[in-house]
Amino acid sequence: MLRPKIPTMPQPTGHLTPPAATVEPTAVVQQSPQHFAPAPVVSPAPVPARPAVQLTPGSVLALVGGGTAVVLVVGAVLVSLLLAVAITGASLAICALVIRSLITSEHKHR
């Protein structure tokens, strides 16, 4: 009754591509090795010392202000996430109490 029909592969029609042409090997001619004079050794140029970072009072205030802003923003996000979890848990607990009281009151009336 439920027999799958297996498709048959149709015979190719139309133009067929000819087989790839054969590649004939070519002769490799080796030349005599070339001799190069060694490059002169040059000592590297001295690396200039990096200047130490100097903090001005304005840049220190900017760094402190930026760090404070980052800490406040991250703290506000974390506190809001914690508050959302606490509110969700409290609402689920209240729903569970209401449903339990409805079920128990239904059983008492029977």
Side-chain angles (χ1 to χ4, degrees):
M1 183 173 147
L2 297 174
R3 292 188 182 180
K5 292 185 179 181
I6 300 173
T8 58
M9 183 63 125
Q11 294 297 324
T13 58
H15 300 290
L16 297 177
T17 57
T22 57
V23 178
E24 304 225 359
T26 57
V28 177
V29 178
Q30 286 188 340
Q31 297 179 353
S32 63
Q34 297 176 353
H35 297 286
F36 295 103
V41 177
V42 179
S43 62
V47 178
R50 289 181 56 188
V53 177
Q54 295 178 352
L55 295 175
T56 62
S59 63
V60 170
L61 284 176
L63 285 175
V64 169
T68 304
V70 168
V71 167
L72 288 177
V73 168
V74 170
V77 169
L78 291 177
V79 167
S80 64
L81 286 173
L82 181 64
L83 185 61
V85 169
I87 290 173
T88 304
S91 65
L92 284 176
I94 291 171
C95 288
L97 287 175
V98 168
I99 290 173
R100 189 177 77 175
S101 68
L102 287 175
I103 291 173
T104 55
S105 68
E106 183 180 315
H107 285 291
K108 288 182 180 179
H109 291 295
R110 285 186 167 187

